[in-house]
Amino acid sequence: VQLQASGGGLVQAGGSLRLSCTASGTVFSVDAMGWYRQAPGKQRELVATMTTGGRINYADSVKGRFTISRDNAKKTVYLQMNSLKPEDTAVYYCNAEVRMYRWSNPQTNWGQGTQVTVSS
């Protein structure tokens, strides 16, 4: 199973970016998908998660600015980031609970990370 993330980059404060992450390989189904981030010198933290059924959880720091969505058929999760702030600067990692086969238990998988840098 591979998670391929894209969409990071450099943006000025107040700008927007859209991240995407697609699961590929031996994938029967994907349960929860989400995004985490890790800033230099800090621990990895949750940004947003979304279940197959559409239940969403956001970190308080991004509520009202970030929107998570997913396309279950494409096994892809998106993160629309608006009104970006310098404190949003971090490496963003996608995460997915993947069942490789119908009888498998879901396993946690991580993408390679994509850098988001917000300049002031």
Side-chain angles (χ1 to χ4, degrees):
V1 176
Q2 293 183 332
L3 296 180
Q4 184 65 46
S6 62
L10 173 65
V11 65
Q12 289 187 333
S16 298
L17 284 173
R18 188 189 193 214
L19 307 182
S20 63
C21 176
T22 300
S24 63
T26 305
V27 178
F28 173 76
S29 66
V30 183
D31 294 349
M33 301 186 81
W35 293 94
Y36 291 71
R37 66 187 181 186
Q38 187 167 17
K42 295 187 176 181
Q43 290 188 331
R44 189 173 298 187
E45 63 177 4
L46 179 146
V47 176
T49 60
M50 186 173 185
T51 67
T52 305
R55 186 164 56 188
I56 293 173
N57 183 37
Y58 289 109
D60 288 342
S61 60
V62 306
K63 285 180 180 177
R65 300 187 299 122
F66 291 10
T67 302
I68 189 171
S69 61
R70 59 188 286 175
D71 184 327
N72 292 330
K74 295 182 178 180
K75 302 181 182 66
T76 298
V77 62
Y78 305 96
L79 185 69
Q80 178 66 43
M81 304 184 293
N82 298 328
S83 303
L84 282 161
K85 303 175 181 180
E87 51 263 44
D88 294 318
T89 295
V91 177
Y92 284 68
Y93 297 91
C94 63
N95 168 283
E97 301 293 324
V98 176
R99 297 177 188 266
M100 293 180 65
Y101 307 99
R102 182 165 56 87
W103 56 85
S104 301
N105 291 323
Q107 294 189 338
T108 300
N109 293 268
W110 292 93
Q112 82 280 12
T114 184
Q115 177 71 46
V116 171
T117 302
V118 185
S119 62
S120 58

